[in-house]
Amino acid sequence: MATTSSMFMYSLTIQPPTAITQAILGQFAGTKEQQIVTASGSRLTIHRPDPTQGKISTILSQDVFGIIRTLAAFRLAGSSKDYIIIGSDSGRITIIEYVPAQNRFNRLHLETFGKSGIRRVIPGQYLAVDPKGRACLIASAEKNKLVYVLNRNAQAELTISSPLEAHKPQTLVFALVGLDVGYENPVFAVLEVDYTECDQDPTGQAFQEVEKSLVYYELDLGLNHVVRKWSDPVDRTANMLLQVPGGGDGPSGVLVCGLDNITYRHSSQDAFRVPIPRRRGVTENPERKRCITAGVMHKMRGAFFFLLQSEDGDLFKVTIDMVEDDNGQPTGEVKKLKIKYFDTVPIASTLCILKSGFLFVASEAGNHHFYQFEKLGDDDNEVEYDSDSFPTDPTEPYTPAYFHPRSSENVNLVESIDSMNPQLDCKVANLTDEDAPQIYSICGSGARSSFRMLRHGLEVNDIVDSELPSVPAAVWTTKITRHDEFDAYIVLSFDNGTLVLSIGETVEEVTDTGFLSSASTLAVQQLGEDALIQVHPKGIRHIRADRRVNEWPVPQHRSIVAATTNERQVAVALSSGEIVYFEMDTDGSLAEYDEKREMSGTVTCLSLGEVPEGRVRSQFLAVGCDDSTVRILSLDPDSTLENKSVQALTSAPSALSIMSMPDSTSGGSTLYLHIGLYSGVYLRTVLDEITGELSDTRTRFLGPKPAKLFKVSVKGEPAVLALSSRSWLGYSDPQTKNFMLTPLSYVPLEWGSNFSSEQCTEGMVGIQGQNLRIFSIEKLGSNLLQQSIPLTYTPRKFVRHPEYPLFYTIESDNNTLSVETKHKLLNSQTVVNGDGVILPPEEFGYPRAQGHWASCIHVVDPINAKSTLQQIDLTDNEAATAIAAVSFSSQNDETFLVVGTGKDITVSPRSSSAGFVYIYRFLEDGKELEFIHKTKTEQPPSALLGFQGRLLAGIGNELRIYDLGLKQLLRKCQAQVVPNLIVGLQTQGSRIIVSDVQESVVYAVYKYQDNRLIAFVDDVVARWATCTAMVDYETVAGGDKFGNLWLLRCPQKASEEADEDASGAHLIHERQYLQGAPNRLALMCHFYPQDIPTSIQKTQLVAGGRDILVWTGLQGTLGILVPFVSREDVDFFQTLEQHLRGEDAPLAGRDHLIYRSYYVPVKGVIDGDLCERYSLLPNDKKQMIAGELDRSVREIERKISDMRTRVAY
């Protein structure tokens, strides 16, 4: 990376892509339990399905810094663990295993076979494994196939052979699968087309006659080479192969899926063919043929079946009947093939059937679904079609099969997993007046599309919410004896008294507990084996198991202002600034330490740590005083209450908590002191267990109210509940063990405590106003909460109302019947009984129709109504293409909604019969739209923007300025500034930044006197821009359709010249350079994040954070680019990145630097996702890198975590 760049960005992912390209099933942990491994872009994730709760949880997710093209699971014969083979863009085959003990992926083999990148003739596109785990075949889209033999050596380690070639030039591969042949030589089935003759025939005759073949390749294990064993022509539309069980389980062979047919083929059997049933209904086209897009085979004892999915989402169950011998046993010879409708689920990229009776659907668009099988569809009255009634020859005529779709009977949805794929647009805005903004985005396709609101927080499960007689000040829970599993009492402290509630089947008040009810309480603790302690302002009450009460009274004219306890120690601070310390004697009584310790100021808070395992006391007492200091006092018998260390703070401490928590730096657990200040700041510092020194302080701003801290436990790990104007939870990330501080998506609490009962083993109890609330936190994995509002069609773009918290979306779907056509068909006379049933489109999709568009405009209220308020359907086969809210100065600056549409649009090649610009007026504070008028244009407007009180429109390759007239828009000015098609507009002042579909961006200026638009700067590289945003007056950030992010800057001189002269004459007469504008843009930063950016904006994500660039990707990615402030930081992170590239090489064998420079060398961007892998390295490597950087490991980890927490989540 050139260190001469003057601008540096730090790239981070906030939410990884959620689109699953492939999912595989296997026993990767080596236990009986099955896991699901998914690939999303460059991420490999392993999920654990929980059959008892019907939930899926993520165990481990890792970025492999390479594009995962294909995955396969295999297992060596006789072993119980599955390995994973990855085919990626690294030109290498990778075999990895999952190591459950360390929760990481371990690479076993990396074999190079070709160039990197995705190319036609480099294998990696297709991957198939022999079912018995003896060999795998990795193939390219054309020509090359390599077979690797897998085996184990004497140490029972996995070995891999040199590759055996099965190349055939000028052959295209369409599908590939391993055949189930038992323990005979492994065979792979391939769908191939030989195009040799097509290449040499200029007339195109050979192309019309070309055949698709099903080819068997056999690996001869004895001779160690691969032969082409059998080849037979199949239907030309065939696109998919599925393996049929063989050996003792079935007849072997494959199912070949093509357009409107499924055929069983095998070298030693006859062909059997069934059609794919079509939907019946008045809105369906009876001639439309379906094809299979996904399928899965499932084996049970002595039986097997296939579930195949058509492009409508309908699942069909396919079974094979075999000829039986005299004893009624199947012989392995096929009798017939049968197909019937099973159920309808979302269109999937992969289907997985688990042995525990679940179906995992990795959806192509929208949320992924996890279903449970209710039954296998054997006893329903669906029509079953078999191969006896249909010819095997694809050219012969036959009667199509039909079925009526119905709601699910065989599978039942148990969990829907949030996925924002495809994500089409996004806005960051603070509409709820919280301290941090929310992210609003439109995603999904068709009827399963949605408008989503994302906010930073953890999901809270509310259990109890009950009102109390008056407002409590604090709450505690306590056990009665040390060995109790659950809490027995909830103790509530009020200003003038204390209330004790017992926890059982119900929660009710008890009075005979020995607690003093006439005074407020400062602390409650279960002490020793079976005693309880209550600290109140006038003394300490020690309640024995036999209800005897010992009272320690406070010296005269003083009271207790702060207290802290653990199971063996008590420390209290008096109003005079003295600290009194007690320790439990061997007989269970509390012994007071002789000397009191005077503090310099008034004590505001105290904390004792827990007693460590095997010790009799906690070593340290932390004391916070109002002179803004925290002191650590020793509790060692030799040096009791002596000062160990002191930390100065920015304001007085309001809460302290000493806790030991898991730590990524040391690998074990570390003692931390958590500090909350009156200013609402939270600090976490490491407390040295020997010397009591404080080091490595990290700070976070929680909110304007004083921070209070409470020790709680979540998922069996200690965590800290921090309360300010919002409630926060500090915990160790389950995967990386890094400390995370995340707000709870919950009401603000005033006090909290741990809570454990039979009904809720791991919860918390809190006070909010006059209410007592009991809640638990289930999921720590995702810290972005989604709320979703369903939309009608695929959303394309959306805008926000300039004043009110409302959004306006435009949605359109191609090849879909519009509402009016659907009504016409349903109301026609020919509707037969049962055909007029309208199915819910969110499950079954919309009726398809070639050349038709369905489109609408929605008013969405995500804050108050949390729904869509108005829907305006477009008629006459129009589809909305652009939207903007524009204030017109000719109408007293009233804001109107402007929507651009196109009539009869053909997407490719691009054409349409007309375009229109609709004007709507806002009514009822923007909740309703009123149509004013529409203006016809030659082409659909592809970009709209308000500009100096008028409308700026990109229509084709022309840039126009319109003003609002009474009957239609009035054209004021136009210019051709880009060569192809305007796809985006940005403006500041009189400067306009125009992005072209394939020619990057052009800067233009509008000269008001001459009424002219003049282009003055353009780019040197043809970037296919998808989104742009102005970073400042000279700089623009954008993304392109190949998955790059870039920042371009206009030369200072050209920028100043453009704004000089009022008439702009000098710009028009300036000499053009290479048929373009006179000046060129300079590239500042370039980065390849591996997802297509669909929106980018300059904004803040956290309260008090810096301005950053937030971008969203098509597959559901949320990412940020953070500008570096100091050169020193840049050098530090550059060196760190360099070391990590060597020490933590990407899993799939791709070179990290080349991967991030996929199309253009990476410039001015440091990969934060790679830097964050530092905390997952083994300790020796961490130490080595820290030594090279001349820093401590903690310092490096702090710098990495600060880069993220200061600007984002």
Side-chain angles (χ1 to χ4, degrees):
M1 186 194 298
T3 46
T4 52
S5 181
S6 61
M7 181 194 263
F8 276 90
M9 305 296 252
Y10 184 77
S11 156
L12 272 177
T13 305
I14 294 177
Q15 175 177 289
T18 51
I20 294 179
T21 47
Q22 197 185 347
I24 55 170
L25 203 58
Q27 296 168 349
F28 303 109
T31 56
K32 281 282 174 69
E33 191 177 58
Q34 284 182 309
Q35 288 90 18
I36 299 169
V37 168
T38 60
S40 312
S42 64
R43 264 188 189 264
L44 194 66
T45 310
I46 181 162
H47 307 267
R48 177 179 167 262
D50 185 342
T52 51
Q53 293 181 312
K55 282 190 163 39
I56 288 189
S57 54
T58 305
I59 311 176
L60 174 65
S61 177
Q62 183 174 339
D63 200 328
V64 303
F65 301 110
I67 298 170
I68 302 173
R69 299 161 72 186
T70 173
L71 291 174
F74 81 95
R75 173 192 313 205
L76 292 170
S79 91
S80 63
K81 180 168 185 170
D82 285 332
Y83 297 99
I84 305 162
I85 307 184
I86 306 174
S88 68
D89 62 345
S90 61
R92 296 163 160 187
I93 187 168
T94 316
I95 300 184
I96 63 168
E97 64 169 339
Y98 170 62
V99 186
Q102 298 160 330
N103 190 26
R104 65 183 186 89
F105 291 120
N106 177 26
R107 189 165 72 201
L108 300 171
H109 287 289
L110 184 65
E111 299 290 323
T112 309
F113 51 67
K115 292 179 181 170
S116 63
I118 294 179
R119 303 160 192 260
R120 269 168 65 170
V121 292
I122 304 293
Q125 188 61 34
Y126 301 103
L127 180 62
V129 173
D130 169 58
K132 294 285 183 271
R134 296 169 297 173
C136 72
L137 173 65
I138 187 164
S140 57
E142 183 182 334
K143 182 183 171 187
N144 292 342
K145 298 181 196 67
L146 297 172
V147 176
Y148 286 92
V149 181
L150 305 162
N151 217 323
R152 55 159 82 82
N153 61 12
Q155 286 78 44
E157 292 163 340
L158 176 72
T159 60
I160 186 166
S161 71
S162 305
L164 305 171
E165 297 183 351
H167 303 337
K168 188 163 189 292
Q170 297 191 317
T171 303
L172 299 173
V173 174
F174 286 83
L176 171 65
V177 73
L179 227 60
D180 190 346
V181 289
Y183 285 102
E184 290 172 24
N185 278 337
V187 177
F188 297 95
V190 187
L191 275 182
E192 287 183 354
V193 166
D194 186 331
Y195 67 83
T196 321
E197 288 169 7
C198 307
D199 250 9
Q200 287 148 10
D201 174 24
T203 61
Q205 181 67 30
F207 173 69
Q208 301 298 330
E209 295 166 3
V210 73
E211 280 186 338
K212 195 174 275 189
S213 325
L214 174 65
V215 184
Y216 278 9
Y217 287 93
E218 181 179 27
L219 164 65
D220 193 319
L221 289 169
L223 299 171
N224 204 25
H225 75 138
V226 184
V227 289
R228 204 179 150 100
K229 185 181 173 189
W230 176 75
S231 169
D232 206 29
V234 291
D235 180 9
R236 193 171 163 176
T237 61
N239 65 328
M240 197 171 175
L241 294 176
L242 283 129
Q243 155 197 330
V244 176
D249 303 323
S252 187
V254 289
L255 288 187
V256 183
C257 306
L259 189 66
D260 207 39
N261 71 81
I262 298 164
T263 317
Y264 168 78
R265 299 301 301 262
H266 192 36
S267 53
S268 59
Q269 306 252 12
D270 295 338
F272 294 90
R273 187 157 166 262
V274 288
I276 299 170
R278 307 174 191 177
R279 285 188 183 182
R280 185 170 293 230
V282 67
T283 53
E284 292 290 343
N285 172 10
E287 296 306 309
R288 184 164 75 88
K289 298 178 174 180
R290 314 296 204 267
C291 63
I292 296 295
T293 56
V296 61
M297 181 269 294
H298 186 61
K299 269 198 278 198
M300 301 169 296
R301 284 196 188 87
F304 62 89
F305 65 90
F306 296 86
L307 282 187
L308 306 183
Q309 188 179 39
S310 72
E311 76 248 55
D312 294 331
D314 300 321
L315 287 177
F316 299 102
K317 183 178 174 182
V318 175
T319 48
I320 295 177
D321 282 3
M322 288 187 270
V323 179
E324 293 179 352
D325 59 16
D326 305 338
N327 305 334
Q329 294 299 313
T331 56
E333 190 184 331
V334 177
K335 187 162 123 194
K336 61 181 168 191
L337 192 61
K338 299 199 287 200
I339 187 167
K340 66 195 284 195
Y341 173 59
F342 187 74
D343 261 335
T344 301
V345 299
I347 299 171
S349 58
T350 313
L351 298 167
C352 297
I353 297 179
L354 282 73
K355 286 185 177 149
S356 49
F358 288 89
L359 170 70
F360 176 66
V361 176
S363 310
E364 264 187 16
N367 290 358
H368 308 300
H369 282 185
F370 194 49
Y371 292 93
Q372 186 164 16
F373 282 102
E374 299 289 324
K375 53 190 201 332
L376 291 177
D378 300 325
D379 49 359
D380 53 17
N381 38 21
E382 287 294 329
V383 187
E384 190 164 57
Y385 296 96
D386 62 34
S387 52
D388 295 349
S389 8
F390 296 95
T392 49
D393 180 10
T395 53
E396 280 184 42
Y398 59 90
T399 348
Y402 291 100
F403 72 96
H404 281 295
R406 51 159 169 74
S407 54
S408 292
E409 286 179 4
N410 299 310
V411 292
N412 171 29
L413 181 64
V414 286
E415 193 185 15
S416 176
I417 301 143
D418 279 336
S419 166
M420 294 175 62
N421 153 57
Q423 184 168 230
L424 294 142
D425 201 355
C426 169
K427 304 257 186 286
V428 178
N430 190 355
L431 303 185
T432 53
D433 289 333
E434 292 172 18
D435 49 6
Q438 306 84 46
I439 300 171
Y440 298 91
S441 93
I442 46 174
C443 40
S445 74
R448 297 185 68 236
S449 56
S450 59
F451 179 101
R452 300 205 181 190
M453 174 168 127
L454 277 78
R455 54 152 58 94
H456 182 216
L458 288 171
E459 195 175 345
V460 173
N461 184 9
D462 214 343
I463 299 166
V464 174
D465 175 10
S466 64
E467 203 174 325
L468 296 166
S470 63
V471 178
V475 61
W476 292 271
T477 55
T478 179
K479 304 171 177 179
I480 293 181
T481 71
R482 187 174 165 189
H483 303 291
D484 285 0
E485 193 181 344
F486 302 121
D487 293 328
Y489 296 140
I490 296 178
V491 181
L492 290 155
S493 167
F494 297 89
D495 290 344
N496 54 0
T498 297
L499 179 70
V500 183
L501 306 173
S502 77
I503 305 169
E505 287 294 312
T506 58
V507 173
E508 49 205 34
E509 187 180 340
V510 284
T511 49
D512 58 341
T513 53
F515 281 98
L516 182 69
S517 59
S518 58
S520 61
T521 302
L522 295 172
V524 172
Q525 172 75 41
Q526 189 275 317
L527 191 80
E529 288 300 320
D530 52 9
L532 293 170
I533 282 274
Q534 177 192 16
V535 183
H536 53 91
K538 288 294 172 205
I540 300 176
R541 206 172 163 88
H542 184 191
I543 306 159
R544 294 295 188 89
D546 51 10
R547 297 291 155 91
R548 275 187 322 188
V549 172
N550 294 355
E551 182 90 39
W552 176 85
V554 172
Q556 271 194 325
H557 309 304
R558 296 175 204 167
S559 59
I560 297 176
V561 289
T564 176
T565 58
N566 64 28
E567 58 202 51
R568 301 187 64 88
Q569 294 156 292
V570 179
V572 296
L574 306 181
S575 50
S576 57
E578 292 168 312
I579 288 178
V580 190
Y581 168 61
F582 301 86
E583 202 168 297
M584 197 177 77
D585 266 356
T586 44
D587 63 348
S589 64
L590 273 184
E592 179 185 347
Y593 179 68
D594 309 339
E595 294 168 35
K596 298 183 174 58
R597 166 77 193 259
E598 279 274 353
M599 298 308 282
S600 54
T602 308
V603 176
T604 56
C605 46
L606 297 170
S607 175
L608 279 165
E610 291 286 303
V611 179
E613 196 77 30
R615 300 275 185 92
V616 291
R617 66 177 66 79
S618 163
Q619 296 287 87
F620 304 113
L621 170 67
V623 183
C625 299
D626 65 355
D627 57 358
S628 299
T629 58
V630 168
R631 287 182 168 75
I632 301 294
L633 307 183
S634 163
L635 298 179
D636 219 35
D638 312 334
S639 59
T640 311
L641 298 186
E642 274 182 25
N643 221 356
K644 281 286 195 181
S645 62
V646 63
Q647 165 115 359
L649 306 166
T650 52
S651 97
S654 55
L656 295 173
S657 175
I658 297 178
M659 289 168 60
S660 89
M661 291 179 82
D663 175 27
S664 62
T665 312
S666 62
S669 74
T670 302
L671 202 59
Y672 289 107
L673 171 63
H674 302 268
I675 309 170
L677 306 185
Y678 275 101
S679 58
V681 172
Y682 159 85
L683 296 95
R684 180 182 73 121
T685 84
V686 175
L687 176 59
D688 190 297
E689 300 183 25
I690 315 297
T691 63
E693 289 292 320
L694 295 172
S695 60
D696 186 32
T697 306
R698 315 233 179 141
T699 60
R700 260 313 259 287
F701 176 63
L702 302 183
K705 286 167 105 182
K708 300 193 187 94
L709 306 174
F710 305 96
K711 182 182 175 185
V712 293
S713 118
V714 177
K715 299 275 176 213
E717 296 280 1
V720 60
L721 182 67
L723 307 180
S724 174
S725 53
R726 276 175 96 171
S727 312
W728 298 70
L729 187 76
Y731 58 95
S732 295
D733 181 83
Q735 274 183 40
T736 61
K737 296 287 177 255
N738 285 345
F739 183 75
M740 310 273 282
L741 190 65
T742 310
L744 301 181
S745 166
Y746 202 50
V747 292
L749 300 170
E750 276 95 57
W751 198 275
S753 176
N754 226 7
F755 177 82
S756 173
S757 74
E758 281 183 48
Q759 289 77 20
C760 164
T761 49
E762 202 174 50
M764 292 168 215
V765 56
I767 295 170
Q768 176 242 336
Q770 204 173 326
N771 290 10
L772 182 72
R773 286 175 174 261
I774 299 176
F775 58 93
S776 67
I777 295 165
E778 304 290 334
K779 285 185 191 165
L780 290 180
S782 67
N783 60 0
L784 278 176
L785 280 175
Q786 299 187 10
Q787 284 177 326
S788 164
I789 298 169
L791 298 174
T792 309
Y793 304 114
T794 306
R796 305 291 171 175
K797 293 188 177 78
F798 74 134
V799 293
R800 191 196 147 185
H801 191 287
E803 295 158 46
Y804 302 105
L806 298 167
F807 288 95
Y808 304 91
T809 63
I810 50 170
E811 300 156 36
S812 57
D813 270 329
N814 194 5
N815 295 337
T816 302
L817 280 186
S818 66
V819 178
E820 46 173 355
T821 324
K822 212 156 47 179
H823 285 319
K824 263 188 214 157
L825 288 168
L826 287 168
N827 297 333
S828 64
Q829 299 300 312
T830 54
V831 179
V832 190
N833 208 5
D835 281 1
V837 179
I838 301 178
L839 300 159
E842 51 277 6
E843 284 177 42
F844 297 92
Y846 292 108
R848 304 250 163 199
Q850 202 67 32
H852 285 256
W853 282 87
S855 184
C856 71
I857 304 164
H858 264 137
V859 183
V860 183
D861 178 357
I863 308 300
N864 303 319
K866 291 190 169 43
S867 67
T868 53
L869 304 177
Q870 185 186 7
Q871 176 172 340
I872 300 170
D873 285 302
L874 299 180
T875 54
D876 294 338
N877 206 26
E878 281 179 43
T881 55
I883 186 168
V886 181
S887 74
F888 287 98
S889 33
S890 58
Q891 303 289 324
N892 306 331
D893 288 337
E894 187 188 342
T895 305
F896 292 86
L897 187 71
V898 184
V899 177
T901 69
K903 185 172 160 59
D904 307 325
I905 300 177
T906 310
V907 181
S908 177
R910 196 166 46 241
S911 71
S912 61
S913 56
F916 294 97
V917 181
Y918 285 74
I919 304 287
Y920 292 95
R921 178 177 264 130
F922 294 121
L923 303 176
E924 310 266 337
D925 293 345
K927 290 179 185 163
E928 272 187 37
L929 297 175
E930 178 192 24
F931 174 66
I932 307 289
H933 58 62
K934 69 175 180 178
T935 309
K936 190 171 182 179
T937 57
E938 311 83 80
Q939 290 184 31
S942 46
L944 299 168
L945 186 69
F947 175 70
Q948 299 185 351
R950 299 197 275 187
L951 170 70
L952 191 63
I955 294 169
N957 58 1
E958 284 183 353
L959 187 60
R960 295 185 185 169
I961 294 179
Y962 284 102
D963 208 341
L964 188 62
L966 286 172
K967 293 284 178 67
Q968 65 171 27
L969 289 170
L970 311 171
R971 192 188 316 181
K972 295 292 183 191
C973 171
Q974 79 173 35
Q976 195 173 324
V977 291
V978 297
N980 303 301
L981 173 74
I982 294 174
V983 290
L985 295 168
Q986 305 286 334
T987 179
Q988 266 185 34
S990 56
R991 178 168 298 179
I992 301 162
I993 294 185
V994 187
S995 41
D996 182 79
V997 68
Q998 67 184 65
E999 291 292 340
S1000 191
V1001 294
V1002 175
Y1003 283 37
V1005 63
Y1006 176 61
K1007 294 296 181 189
Y1008 193 77
Q1009 271 101 325
D1010 288 17
N1011 191 25
R1012 303 187 78 146
L1013 288 158
I1014 308 161
F1016 65 94
V1017 182
D1018 58 17
D1019 198 2
V1020 285
V1021 178
R1023 306 178 200 281
W1024 295 65
T1026 53
C1027 59
T1028 50
M1030 286 185 81
V1031 181
D1032 57 38
Y1033 194 57
E1034 263 89 36
T1035 318
V1036 65
D1040 64 37
K1041 76 166 197 180
F1042 297 102
N1044 298 301
L1045 286 168
W1046 29 263
L1047 269 90
L1048 304 168
R1049 183 167 283 171
C1050 169
Q1052 190 70 34
K1053 185 165 169 282
S1055 174
E1056 285 163 7
E1057 278 179 6
D1059 292 341
E1060 262 171 25
D1061 183 10
S1063 71
H1066 63 296
L1067 291 176
I1068 299 164
H1069 300 308
E1070 198 167 353
R1071 209 165 126 219
Q1072 288 193 344
Y1073 179 65
L1074 298 176
Q1075 283 95 44
N1079 302 294
R1080 294 287 173 270
L1081 294 165
L1083 179 68
M1084 301 302 293
C1085 297
H1086 201 287
F1087 187 68
Y1088 174 74
Q1090 215 262 293
D1091 196 354
I1092 300 168
T1094 52
S1095 81
I1096 186 164
Q1097 59 208 304
K1098 183 174 137 187
T1099 181
Q1100 298 167 350
L1101 279 184
V1102 293
R1106 289 214 310 274
D1107 270 353
I1108 52 174
L1109 288 174
V1110 177
W1111 67 275
T1112 58
L1114 185 73
Q1115 302 178 15
T1117 316
L1118 281 176
I1120 58 173
L1121 292 171
V1122 188
F1124 276 106
V1125 181
S1126 73
R1127 184 79 227 185
E1128 186 193 352
D1129 279 356
V1130 174
D1131 294 341
F1132 169 81
F1133 278 102
Q1134 252 178 334
T1135 323
L1136 176 65
E1137 188 182 35
Q1138 206 173 324
H1139 283 299
L1140 281 167
R1141 281 182 182 142
E1143 295 302 324
D1144 184 36
L1147 192 65
R1150 187 85 164 107
D1151 182 296
H1152 177 266
L1153 181 63
I1154 298 175
Y1155 166 69
R1156 288 302 187 199
S1157 315
Y1158 225 103
Y1159 296 95
V1160 173
V1162 64
K1163 178 179 181 183
V1165 181
I1166 286 165
D1167 186 0
D1169 294 337
L1170 179 68
C1171 294
E1172 289 193 341
R1173 288 200 49 81
Y1174 177 78
S1175 63
L1176 298 169
L1177 290 178
N1179 257 351
D1180 52 338
K1181 284 193 178 176
K1182 279 192 199 174
Q1183 297 287 0
M1184 192 205 83
I1185 294 175
E1188 294 275 339
L1189 289 166
D1190 203 17
R1191 308 271 178 124
S1192 71
V1193 173
R1194 281 202 184 280
E1195 249 181 300
I1196 296 176
E1197 295 204 331
R1198 184 171 88 222
K1199 272 186 102 73
I1200 294 170
S1201 95
D1202 278 358
M1203 279 307 286
R1204 182 184 276 271
T1205 53
R1206 288 209 176 134
V1207 292
Y1209 324 124

